[in-house]
Amino acid sequence: MTTSKPGRLASELLEMADSQHRLGIMDKATHQKITARHLGADALPTSEPITAAQVREVREKAHLSQAALARYLNMTPGYVSQLERGATQAKGPALALLNVIRRKGIEALL
């Protein structure tokens, strides 16, 4: 999928949405949904790479065992162990979920 500069109609829509958000007519969630849809993937937050020590820190901060964290992430405890030892690097959905837990806590997944 290629992303290009928004067209004239999309630019006008974004300008109107910005004005409505600034005036308090449109809530933040709706504004973000509109801008993400029209600006493309560049407007969305990206997942930062996470080190083995950070995976362990996320797990310990949430007071979870490797098996419990694995259940939240829908993966095996062995994979969590590999992440914490640095034998493998988190990618895709696992990386995204770990970043969510790191930023917002395990409560974000409940």
Side-chain angles (χ1 to χ4, degrees), residues 6-29:
R8 182 172 173 223
L9 180 61
S11 295
E12 295 295 327
L13 176 66
L14 292 172
E15 184 179 335
M16 183 176 67
D18 289 341
S19 297
Q20 288 179 348
H21 178 63
R22 192 173 48 255
L23 293 170
I25 299 169
M26 182 182 295
D27 66 346
K28 184 176 180 177

Side-chain angles (χ1 to χ4, degrees), residues 85-101:
R85 288 182 283 128
T88 189
Q89 187 72 22
K91 292 184 174 40
L95 178 60
L97 287 172
L98 286 167
N99 274 298
V100 167
I101 296 169

Side-chain angles (χ1 to χ4, degrees), residues 48-71:
E48 300 172 15
I50 190 166
T51 66
Q54 289 172 323
V55 173
R56 178 179 223 122
E57 182 181 317
V58 164
R59 180 180 61 80
E60 289 175 346
K61 187 176 179 184
H63 305 290
L64 295 172
S65 65
Q66 287 181 345
L69 179 62
R71 290 194 77 173

Side-chain angles (χ1 to χ4, degrees), residues 6 10 25 28 34 38 42 56 59 67 74-76 85 89 105 110:
I25 299 169
K28 184 176 180 177
I34 288 172
H38 288 90
D42 294 339
R56 178 179 223 122
R59 180 180 61 80
N74 196 28
M75 58 182 65
T76 65
R85 288 182 283 128
Q89 187 72 22
L110 303 177

